[in-house]
Amino acid sequence: MSASGAVWRNWGRTEAVRPKRVERPTSAGAVQRAVIAAARSGLTIKAVGAGHSFTGIAVAPGVQLDLDALTGLVGVDTDRKRVTLAAGTRLFDIPRLLEPLGLAMPNLGDIDRQSISGAISTGTHGTGSEFTGIAGQVRGAVIVTGDGELLRVSDTENAELLPAVALGLGALGILVEVTLQCVDAFALHAREVPLPLGGLLDVAPTSLGSLAERVEASDHFEFYWFPHTRTAVTKTNTRLPATGELRPLTPLARFTEDVALTNGVYRATCAAAVALPGIIPRVNGMAERLMGNREFSDRSHRVFATRRTVRFREMEYAIPAESVPDALRDVMRLIDDRGWRISFPVEVRFARSDDLWMSTAYGRESGYIAVHRYYREDPTEYFSAVEEIMLGYGGRPHWGKMHTRDSTALRDMYPRYDDFLAVRDRLDPQRVFANPYLNRVLGE
């Protein structure tokens, strides 16, 4: 089904476009026909999912493909614990599909609104030194190429393309199916504790343990720091058998902490701070006291993901994991030196290295530092200054989050960059899937 396009905006309100045409395919064949028709008309074509990227990676000036009808479980390989999903399946729907199979995704990020194809195409990740991003779970895909061909990629078919297709930036084709490596269903014990930030960042071990020790000793460790405070709110998740006794948050506690405080009160204070930035240090001090100190256990996806309704903008860089303490101290000094008032926390996570050509964790154990601003505030000056710090540590920008890098700079960051471009030339020589963002980061 096709329709004229209304204005499309992404979640963070950083991008907007009025597509010339919107298509809502219900099958792989319909995607093929849409791609062929766009190419014949001289139009570019892009798939869109939840619109949760802050960059223009999914912006479709030509034909926009809404994949919401391509959803659900397509196939199961019980012996290898693999599942094949339609590309438009949202992350929050996958646990329901996997539960009857006794399976789960090995790791997730803290937001689950994205489609599976969007999550892998932008390099979405969670945290855990032994776990890759979601694209690292990909074992196969079915993709429609620039000439409308339906191409299967797996460890047995066109295997040489998998390191490119698994994290393809939407530049190689339209994903219609994705095969994931799953694990047996599991639970998580979550412990959220505020700790002195200075002690956490000390390189030498302390009574609390160094940051590197905590990351290595934990299944999933992350922390966030509210500027103008001296405390890190740490989150440590420990994997448990799915059959064990669980102690989930009560409905009242979940509503009070995750809905009323984290979203409701925080939205009001962020809005007020736009007009009265002087209140931000006091608000952040209140937030650090209210948003830590809890312990519970639940099924894995209920612990990994949290509901986020306060709209924001984000930039995130991956740097070598060992550089995180120094880089974060630089960010802290930057905020103090400039006298800025920053309401949103700085988030720090970790991931295992992988071999996906355009992955931010390609070839190195990585730490991720993410900075945010409320969506009604201009992030330009803050993000630009933090970006310069991250580049000094060999940082690579998250593909779905705001940054200013172009193809010239990015080529030096990725050893297999030219190999990826060669695959792009093979699968989309006419640049049917191009858009302004991809022209910037991959070249025209």
Side-chain angles (χ1 to χ4, degrees), residues 44-46 58 76 79 96 137 186 191 200 206 235 266-267 272 278 324 373 416:
T44 58
I45 184 168
K46 299 295 296 178
V76 179
D79 292 338
R96 174 181 57 82
Q137 303 169 25
F186 63 99
R191 188 164 184 261
L200 184 63
T206 67
K235 305 174 84 171
Y266 196 55
R267 180 186 296 105
V324 165
R373 292 222 78 170
R416 303 300 296 271

Side-chain angles (χ1 to χ4, degrees), residues 55 315 317 380 383-385 387-388 391 397-398 401-407 409-410 413 437 440-441:
T55 65
M315 181 183 75
Y317 263 79
T380 305
F383 284 9
S384 295
E387 185 173 46
E388 287 303 312
L391 293 173
H398 189 301
K401 299 176 183 179
M402 298 172 72
H403 67 93
T404 66
R405 299 298 89 189
D406 61 15
S407 59
L410 291 164
M413 298 177 184
Y437 177 78
R440 172 163 69 89
V441 300

Side-chain angles (χ1 to χ4, degrees), residues 132-150:
T132 67
I134 296 177
Q137 303 169 25
V138 174
R139 297 296 179 268
V142 178
I143 189 170
V144 176
T145 65
D147 62 1
E149 177 191 358
L150 200 63

Side-chain angles (χ1 to χ4, degrees), residues 120-247:
I120 66 171
S121 296
T122 57
T124 296
H125 61 92
T127 192
S129 62
E130 295 301 316
F131 298 90
T132 67
I134 296 177
Q137 303 169 25
V138 174
R139 297 296 179 268
V142 178
I143 189 170
V144 176
T145 65
D147 62 1
E149 177 191 358
L150 200 63
L151 179 68
R152 297 185 180 276
V153 179
S154 69
D155 48 10
T156 59
E157 293 181 90
N158 301 298
E160 75 282 1
L161 300 179
L162 191 58
V165 169
L167 204 167
L169 311 182
L172 307 180
I174 306 295
L175 288 163
V176 293
E177 292 180 11
V178 177
T179 298
L180 298 178
Q181 180 64 61
C182 297
V183 297
D184 291 329
F186 63 99
L188 288 170
H189 173 262
R191 188 164 184 261
E192 301 176 8
V193 181
L195 294 174
L197 181 61
L200 184 63
L201 296 183
D202 284 342
V203 176
T206 67
S207 59
L208 300 173
S210 70
L211 177 59
E213 288 176 325
R214 284 183 168 273
V215 172
E216 185 176 351
S218 306
D219 290 326
H220 308 274
F221 178 81
E222 65 181 296
F223 69 92
Y224 54 94
W225 166 67
F226 283 91
H228 321 298
T229 74
R230 298 181 178 181
T231 302
V233 180
T234 66
K235 305 174 84 171
T236 305
N237 293 332
T238 303
R239 297 164 85 92
L240 302 172
T243 54
E245 181 182 356
L246 302 180
R247 295 182 179 179

